[in-house]
């Protein structure tokens, strides 16, 4: 096997070199900074040594991998490579200059791959006399643990190059997913739905960031809430990426960020790395905020009236409340002493109350789709009386399940964010950036979602996702909510979103 060159020996470059050496390839390291390649080799050796000490790698295998990592002092030291992977600073001109210089050094059959996460592979390749051998090979951090790599073909990348890079990724033990050269490629593109919609909800004053995080983590099953995630990655990284992808798609409304992040970044509220972001941190650990005054337990309502517009959801909620000893008002219209509970999907609490002819002062909405067993979300109308709001919170929290109370919002929190994620993924499939299977696999591995976004849509039902998006579009008049053609056609046909096309 020909050696593999890695240019750039920062955290990503070191990770790529480590997995390359462990897979049996000779890994030649070059960095423009004097001594950096040798330091990287020593760091890789230390990491492999730790793996051997923990029994995750046999000692002989570790020593052999270490021996295959070799620093070179000049770029010309990569002349024998069959593949060179670039992992330098995210600067288009710097990458173009590097690839142009490499062309004069390596053999004609040597492949050139960029690990860029946000720049155009086609634009990088344009600096080369033979752009057909240039492709994207985007690893995720930390490379040894994140077993996924995006293989991206630029406009002029030759098909045989992609096949060789797919084979290389598999030999590293990584899952290669093919993607077209579009802003954000596949994983970062698909990830636009989560944080941007959560920020939109926050900017509308629907709930504070802690509440949004609680709902999306506990009720929707995400490992981290969106604001916890922003603090982890740092706004100095996340905010420019959001802006870049939005601008590269010529201000696509689905990816529109809010001014909030730019303001917080300017204020130095970057997250863990600065000691304060959406949360406060000390020694890298989150500091618990002062305890909020506990909401007083309110007397349970004498009767609870539940909307029957969704009979299946009503039956679930009625069973839950009867198990807690509540008295259900079974009339078509509520008694004057009943708490009114509506179960909207593509409506807000206000619209649901008005359309049913209810007293909005004693009406609350419940998210019956997400979190009934883990975290219940109640939504008030602008005029819901505090005593009825508190009574509802006590009622739905009686079994020990936490309750979050939010202000009126079309689509609550979890349904609204999940459907936005699904819609973005549907449009990725519509544009043929990647196959439905690769979209879901890549997002699960790259972003840690418990389900792929298209599978999330299938779990809800394409028709239901479409109904909520059309409701949001009509309510706000904002094209960010326009449904993808992939979603609309499959909802009309009753076809799963994960079904590929020939």
């Amino acid at each position: 096997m020909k050696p593999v060159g890695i240019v750039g020996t920062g955290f990503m470059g070191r990770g790529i070199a480590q997995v390359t050496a462990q897979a049996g390839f000779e890994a030649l390291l070059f960095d423009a900074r004097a001594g950096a390649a040798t330091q990287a080799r020593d760091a890789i050796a230390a990491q492999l040594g730790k793996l051997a000490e923990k029994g995750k790698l046999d000692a002989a295998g570790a020593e052999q991998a270490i021996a295959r990592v070799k620093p070179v002092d000049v770029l010309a030291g990569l002349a024998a490579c069959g593949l060179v992977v670039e992992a330098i600073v995210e600067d288009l001109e710097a990458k173009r200059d590097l690839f142009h210089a490499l062309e004069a050094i390596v053999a004609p059959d040597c492949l050139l791959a960029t690990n860029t996460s946000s720049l155009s592979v086609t634009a990088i390749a344009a600096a080369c006399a033979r752009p057909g051998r240039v492709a994207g090979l985007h690893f995720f951090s930390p490379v040894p643990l994140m077993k996924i790599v995006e293989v991206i073909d630029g406009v002029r990348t030759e098909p045989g190059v992609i096949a060789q890079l797919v084979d290389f990724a598999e030999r590293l033990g990584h899952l290669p997913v093919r993607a077209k050269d579009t802003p954000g490629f596949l994983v970062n593109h698909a990830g636009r739905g989560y944080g941007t919609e959560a920020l939109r909800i926050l900017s509308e004053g629907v709930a504070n960031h802690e509440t949004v995080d609680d709902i999306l983590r506990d009720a929707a099953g995400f490992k981290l809430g969106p604001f916890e995630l922003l603090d982890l990655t740092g706004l100095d990284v996340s905010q420019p990426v959001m802006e870049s992808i939005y601008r590269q798609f010529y201000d696509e409304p689905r990816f529109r960020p809010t001014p909030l992040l730019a303001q917080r970044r300017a204020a130095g509220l970057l997250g863990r790395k600065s000691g304060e972001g959406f949360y406060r941190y000390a020694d890298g650990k989150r500091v618990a905020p002062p305890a909020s005054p506990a909401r007083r337990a309110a007397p349970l309502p004498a009767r609870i009236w539940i909307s029957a517009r969704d009979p299946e959801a009503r039956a679930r909620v009625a069973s839950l409340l009867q198990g807690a000893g509540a008295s259900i008002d079974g009339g078509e219209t509520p008694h004057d002493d009943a708490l009114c509970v509506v179960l909207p999907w593509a409506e807000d609490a206000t619209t649901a109350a008005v359309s049913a002819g209810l007293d909005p002062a004693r009406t609350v909405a419940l998210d019956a789709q997400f979190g009934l067993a883990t975290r219940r979300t109640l939504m008030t109308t602008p005029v819901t009386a505090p005593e009825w709001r508190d009574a509802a919170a006590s009622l739905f929290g009686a079994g020990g399940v936490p309750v979050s109370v939010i202000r009126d919002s079309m689509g609550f929190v979890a349904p609204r964010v999940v459907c936005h994620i699904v819609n973005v993924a549907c449009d990725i499939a519509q544009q043929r950036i990647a196959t439905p299977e690769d979209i879901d696999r890549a997002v699960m591995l790259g972003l840690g979602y418990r389900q792929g976004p298209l599978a999330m849509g299938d779990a809800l039902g394409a028709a239901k996702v479409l109904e909520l998006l059309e409701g949001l579009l009509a309510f706000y008049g904002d094209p960010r909510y326009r449904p993808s053609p992939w979603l609309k056609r499959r909802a009309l046909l009753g076809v799963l979103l994960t079904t590929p096309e020939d």
Side-chain angles (χ1 to χ4, degrees):
M1 296 182 291
K2 289 187 177 182
V4 175
I6 296 95
V7 181
T9 57
F11 190 67
M12 287 299 294
R14 292 178 188 185
I16 296 167
Q18 178 183 322
V19 298
T20 298
Q22 285 182 258
F25 294 90
E26 188 176 23
L28 305 185
L29 301 182
F30 174 77
D31 197 290
R33 184 169 62 87
T38 299
Q39 292 171 7
R41 191 261 184 193
D42 293 343
I44 293 168
Q47 182 62 29
L48 291 170
K50 288 179 183 177
L51 292 175
E53 288 174 8
K54 294 178 180 179
K56 296 182 178 180
L57 185 66
D58 67 84
E63 287 298 322
Q64 291 166 5
I66 292 168
R68 285 191 285 267
V69 180
K70 300 177 180 180
V72 297
D73 295 330
V74 293
L75 196 63
L78 306 179
C81 292
L83 165 66
V84 177
V85 182
E86 166 273 311
I88 66 171
V89 64
E90 280 289 273
D91 179 87
L92 178 61
E93 290 309 313
K95 292 179 189 292
R96 286 164 60 94
D97 289 346
L98 172 63
F99 276 55
H100 180 72
L102 281 168
E103 272 203 312
I105 293 168
V106 299
D109 61 347
C110 177
L111 308 186
L112 303 178
T114 172
N115 183 56
T116 183
S117 61
S118 62
L119 300 175
S120 166
V121 173
T122 301
I124 294 170
C128 297
R130 292 188 54 211
R133 63 169 162 176
V134 180
L137 199 60
H138 177 220
F139 291 86
F140 291 78
S141 180
V143 177
L145 299 180
M146 298 293 283
K147 299 292 187 178
I148 178 175
V149 57
E150 293 176 319
V151 183
I152 304 118
D153 53 329
V155 171
R156 299 183 67 179
T157 304
E158 297 166 3
V161 170
I162 295 299
Q164 290 180 72
L165 292 178
V166 165
D167 178 68
F168 173 69
E170 289 174 341
R171 293 174 75 170
L172 299 186
H174 279 50
L175 171 70
V177 291
R178 294 190 55 175
K180 289 183 180 179
D181 185 19
T182 53
F185 307 131
L186 173 49
V187 174
N188 284 335
H189 186 168
R192 294 310 92 205
Y194 190 47
T196 54
E197 191 59 21
L199 282 161
R200 175 72 180 259
I201 290 168
L202 179 67
S203 68
E204 286 178 18
V206 172
N208 61 29
H209 66 272
E210 296 99 333
T211 301
V212 173
D213 277 351
D214 287 344
I215 293 170
L216 289 169
R217 188 182 58 249
D218 300 343
F222 291 95
K223 290 182 180 179
L224 288 174
F227 301 104
E228 294 172 320
L229 184 59
L230 286 167
D231 273 5
L232 180 63
T233 55
L235 289 193
D236 55 331
V237 175
S238 300
Q239 192 269 337
V241 169
M242 281 189 179
E243 292 279 351
S244 173
I245 290 179
Y246 174 59
R247 297 300 181 189
Q248 286 183 73
F249 273 106
Y250 294 97
D251 297 2
E252 164 58 59
R254 290 191 184 103
F255 309 137
R256 186 193 308 121
T258 67
L260 177 66
L261 284 195
Q263 293 168 351
R264 296 181 70 87
R265 182 186 173 205
L269 301 174
L270 306 181
R272 288 177 186 267
K273 63 181 66 176
S274 66
E276 185 175 2
F278 288 96
Y279 302 93
R280 296 181 66 85
Y281 301 88
D283 299 324
K285 296 182 180 180
R286 183 168 152 186
V287 177
S292 302
R295 182 178 282 118
R296 289 187 303 172
L300 298 183
R303 283 182 280 207
I304 297 94
W305 181 89
I306 308 170
S307 169
R309 285 186 62 182
D310 184 337
E312 184 180 336
R314 185 189 188 281
R316 290 200 308 270
V317 175
S319 175
L320 181 151
L321 293 179
Q322 285 170 335
S327 175
I328 305 299
D329 184 342
E332 290 188 11
T333 57
H335 286 78
D336 291 342
D337 61 350
L339 170 70
C340 303
V341 178
V342 291
L343 310 172
W345 175 251
E347 290 180 324
D348 59 2
T350 296
T351 305
V354 171
S355 63
L358 304 175
D359 177 2
R362 53 191 176 98
T363 298
V364 296
L366 172 71
D367 180 356
Q369 187 66 49
F370 287 89
L372 284 183
T374 52
R375 176 174 291 274
R376 294 163 188 165
T377 304
L378 291 174
M379 187 164 67
T380 59
T381 76
V383 296
T384 300
E387 60 270 22
W388 287 104
R389 177 200 64 205
D390 294 345
S394 296
L395 172 69
F396 283 97
V401 177
V403 175
S404 292
V405 181
I406 66 173
R407 297 181 183 88
D408 214 355
S409 165
M410 167 75 72
F412 293 92
V413 170
R416 184 169 160 178
V417 170
V418 169
C419 288
H420 198 64
I421 291 170
V422 173
N423 196 37
V424 170
C426 284
D427 221 48
I428 292 173
Q430 178 65 43
Q431 295 176 55
R432 276 63 178 178
I433 293 169
T435 65
E437 180 183 17
D438 275 356
I439 291 169
D440 275 3
R441 290 195 302 173
V443 169
M444 290 175 70
L445 283 171
L447 299 178
Y449 291 1
R450 60 184 175 83
Q451 278 185 302
L454 297 175
M456 289 182 197
D458 285 341
L460 285 170
K464 239 179 148 169
V465 176
L466 178 62
E467 182 186 5
L468 180 52
L469 289 169
E470 288 182 333
L472 287 162
L473 180 62
F475 186 85
Y476 287 104
D478 188 339
R480 77 183 276 112
Y481 300 113
R482 71 192 190 283
S484 165
W486 183 275
L487 171 64
K488 292 182 76 169
R489 294 187 180 108
R490 278 151 187 77
L492 290 170
L493 295 169
V495 174
L496 293 176
L497 299 177
T498 48
T499 303
E501 286 187 358
D502 294 333

